């Protein structure tokens, strides 16, 4: 579940009491002195303390180093004796009171995501546009997608197969990305044509729907259909049915009941259409009269839904309007104003406020988060020299590895087709980038601002965090490592607090 944002930690000073019992252990001997001094250390050989209903304050938070299968000393945030926050990589962050420690442990990932956005903006030299993000379930790419969307860019986020099967996460991610952006599973991007159409629709604002015809076109179609109905179902018949319904094709002994039964049967049909003068129809039945007719048809439809069986005969209504043309109140008819904002009108065709498609802008670039499946697939294919070797390498990849490689190629091709840059997060990607993304102090500052809670309790950046509090039971730390290295752990980021 997504971590609820915590209130500012106003009483961090009391945390200094937790450092009085600190004692050194071998696994922390390689830390920088200032980081070491900030991290609380517990006696893991003692009996687990009894769970206190009024838990003491959390003084540190650590990510899991999946590669080393241990709690990370660098991706961590801890309270110093003076109440400031010390990050394992970026050092003293100051008070940082508006940000939970659990989020500050993910600061490196957030900063790298901000660095990727900054790099794309600098290279594209455009203020706003469309940014593609692959691996949006990873911490760094999730940060990039949210921050880019909050900054006004249209984001097309592709979730890799590790998280795309999590429906709850997909729905949450869609809510985090503002329109005209979108979030799609990796399987969607595997169809290059389908993904290209999605990106084009978002970047250009063309959603594939055709522009509504003019009022004259609607009127012309109506008159043709009306004339056809008058010819097919004239009022010389007892009802608007075809002639074959009136033919008696049964046994003669039933003929005496035929007319009585047919009268009851034909009552369910509207009456036939009276003759129409086409010249008069063309001259007198204007667009305004058609709008009046549509208003009456709309009211009849509403009546049918509510159970009102008032008879309604379209041909007779048109004939009545030809004899006595109605008058339209241009201030109140449906579609004219705020009273009927979503009612369609042939006279006033418009999109209600907030419903018109908007263009996301040109493709500025693509951000690719290196997932384990993607990294393995890219390395194997890049190592192959000939086409045959590449084909054999692809053949022995797992289905998820193949899918990740195909999806990321689909994302990258959309950017490279327009000369937009591609940035890589979370390591190197064979064939794309041999240099991992590095965050500058300005990127760290941007990430902290995105994590900060505003006066309304909102923030640009949210994570899905599962916390194991080793301060209560130290063995939670080992269990958190196990959970983080387990296959298909979902989109959550696992944090150990002490």
């Amino acid at each position: 579940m997504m971590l609820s944002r915590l209130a500012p930690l106003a009483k961090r000073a009391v945390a200094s009491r937790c450092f009085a019992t600190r004692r050194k252990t071998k696994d922390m001997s390689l830390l920088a002195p200032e980081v070491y001094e900030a991290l609380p250390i517990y006696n893991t050989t003692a009996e687990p303390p009894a769970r206190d209903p009024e838990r003491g304050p959390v003084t540190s938070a650590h990510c899991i180093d999946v590669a080393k299968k241990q709690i990370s000393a660098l991706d961590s945030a801890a309270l110093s004796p003076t109440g400031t926050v010390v990050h394992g990589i970026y050092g003293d962050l100051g008070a940082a009171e508006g940000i939970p420690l659990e989020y500050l442990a993910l600061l490196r990932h957030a900063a790298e995501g901000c660095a990727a956005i900054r790099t794309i903006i600098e290279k594209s030299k455009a203020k706003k546009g469309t940014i593609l993000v692959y691996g949006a379930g990873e911490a760094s790419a999730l940060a990039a997608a949210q921050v880019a969307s909050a900054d006004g860019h249209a984001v097309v986020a592709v979730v890799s197969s590790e998280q795309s099967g999590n429906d709850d996460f997909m729905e949450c991610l869609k809510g985090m990305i503002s329109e005209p952006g979108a979030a799609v599973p990796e399987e969607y991007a595997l169809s290059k044509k389908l993904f290209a159409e999605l990106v084009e629709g978002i970047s250009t604002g063309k959603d594939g729907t055709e522009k509504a015809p003019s009022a004259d076109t609607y009127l012309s179609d109506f008159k043709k259909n009306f004339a056809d109905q008058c010819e097919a179902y004239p009022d010389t018949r007892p009802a608007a049915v075809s002639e074959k319904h009136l033919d008696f094709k049964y046994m003669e002994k039933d003929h005496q009941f035929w007319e009585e039964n047919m009268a009851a049967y034909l009552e369910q049909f509207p009456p036939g259409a009276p003759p129409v003068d086409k010249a008069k129809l063309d001259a007198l039945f204007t667009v305004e009269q058609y709008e009046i007719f549509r208003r009456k048809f709309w009211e009849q439809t509403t009546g049918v839904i509510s159970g009102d069986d008032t008879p309604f005969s379209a041909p007779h209504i048109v004939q009545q309007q030809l004899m006595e043309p109605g008058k339209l109140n241009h201030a109140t008819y449906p579609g004219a104003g705020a009273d009927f904002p979503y009612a369609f009108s042939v006279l006033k065709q418009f999109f209600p406020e907030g419903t018109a498609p908007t263009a996301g802008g040109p493709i500025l670039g693509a951000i690719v988060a290196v997932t384990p499946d993607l990294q393995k697939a890219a390395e194997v294919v890049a190592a192959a020299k000939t086409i045959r070797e590449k084909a054999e390498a692809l053949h022995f990849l797992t289905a998820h590895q193949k899918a990740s490689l195909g999806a990321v190629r689909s994302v990258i091709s959309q950017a490279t087709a327009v000369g937009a840059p591609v940035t890589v997060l979370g390591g190197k990607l064979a064939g794309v980038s041999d240099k991992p993304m590095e965050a500058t102090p300005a990127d760290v500052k941007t990430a902290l601002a995105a994590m900060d809670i505003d006066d309304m309790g909102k923030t640009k950046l949210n994570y899905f965090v599962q916390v194991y509090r080793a301060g209560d039971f130290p063995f939670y730390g080992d269990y958190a490592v196990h959970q983080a290295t387990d296959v298909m752990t979902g989109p959550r980021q696992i944090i150990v607090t002490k």
Side-chain angles (χ1 to χ4, degrees), residues 50-97:
R51 179 177 292 273
D52 185 354
E54 297 181 0
R55 292 178 173 179
V58 172
T59 58
S60 67
H62 309 259
C63 291
I64 304 297
D65 189 331
V66 179
K68 296 181 180 180
K69 297 184 178 181
Q70 63 184 28
I71 297 175
S72 175
L74 297 180
D75 283 320
S76 62
L79 295 178
S80 70
T82 59
T84 61
V85 179
V86 179
H87 191 271
I89 298 175
Y90 305 120
D92 198 324
L93 303 177
E97 292 184 347

Side-chain angles (χ1 to χ4, degrees), residues 118-365:
R118 172 184 54 78
T119 301
I120 286 176
I121 300 303
E122 290 175 351
K123 291 183 178 180
S124 63
K125 299 180 180 179
K127 293 182 179 180
K128 301 295 179 183
T130 303
I131 296 178
L132 314 179
V133 180
Y134 173 83
E138 304 298 316
S140 54
L142 180 61
Q146 291 183 71
V147 173
S149 182
D151 288 344
H153 300 287
V155 176
V156 181
V158 179
V159 180
S160 60
S161 57
E162 286 88 351
Q163 293 93 24
S164 62
N166 190 313
D167 294 336
D168 291 338
F169 171 67
M170 290 298 302
E171 290 302 316
C172 287
L173 182 59
K174 291 175 183 178
M176 292 175 176
I177 296 176
S178 302
E179 293 185 357
V184 296
E186 180 178 81
E187 294 75 11
Y188 192 99
L190 285 175
S191 174
K192 291 188 176 181
K193 184 176 184 299
L194 198 62
F195 185 70
E197 291 175 350
L198 173 67
V199 174
E200 181 183 9
I202 290 175
S203 61
T204 63
K206 299 177 181 178
D207 57 1
T209 56
E210 298 181 0
K211 184 179 179 180
S214 64
D216 291 334
T217 302
Y218 279 112
L219 179 61
S220 177
D221 288 344
F222 174 78
K223 287 180 178 179
K224 182 180 183 304
N225 294 332
F226 178 71
D228 290 343
Q229 180 180 2
C230 292
E231 182 179 351
Y233 305 109
D235 62 359
T236 54
R237 300 174 193 166
V241 295
S242 62
E243 289 184 346
K244 66 179 182 179
H245 284 78
L246 305 177
D247 294 338
F248 180 75
K249 301 178 180 179
Y250 308 97
M251 299 179 66
E252 186 61 29
K253 67 182 182 69
D254 297 326
H255 195 276
Q256 57 178 331
F257 303 106
W258 169 251
E259 293 184 1
E260 181 180 348
N261 291 337
M262 281 301 297
Y265 169 70
L266 294 175
E267 284 182 355
Q268 65 182 310
F269 297 99
V276 60
D277 186 341
K278 292 186 178 180
K280 193 174 181 180
L281 180 68
D282 291 337
L284 300 180
F285 201 79
T286 62
V287 173
E288 184 169 309
Q289 294 303 311
Y290 177 51
E291 187 68 32
I292 295 174
F293 172 82
R294 292 189 69 258
R295 172 71 178 269
K296 294 179 180 179
F297 186 82
W298 180 32
E299 292 174 349
Q300 188 268 344
T301 303
T302 304
V304 171
I305 295 174
S306 60
D308 183 2
D309 297 330
T310 303
F312 182 85
S313 175
H316 288 83
I317 291 177
V318 173
Q319 289 285 4
Q320 182 181 2
Q321 288 185 230
L322 292 177
M323 292 185 291
E324 298 178 8
K327 292 183 179 180
L328 184 68
N329 188 335
H330 288 267
T332 60
Y333 74 93
D339 291 339
F340 303 94
Y342 295 96
F344 175 77
S345 169
V346 296
L347 290 178
K348 189 175 181 181
Q349 300 178 19
F350 71 103
F351 287 101
E353 183 179 354
T355 62
T358 57
I363 299 175
L364 303 183

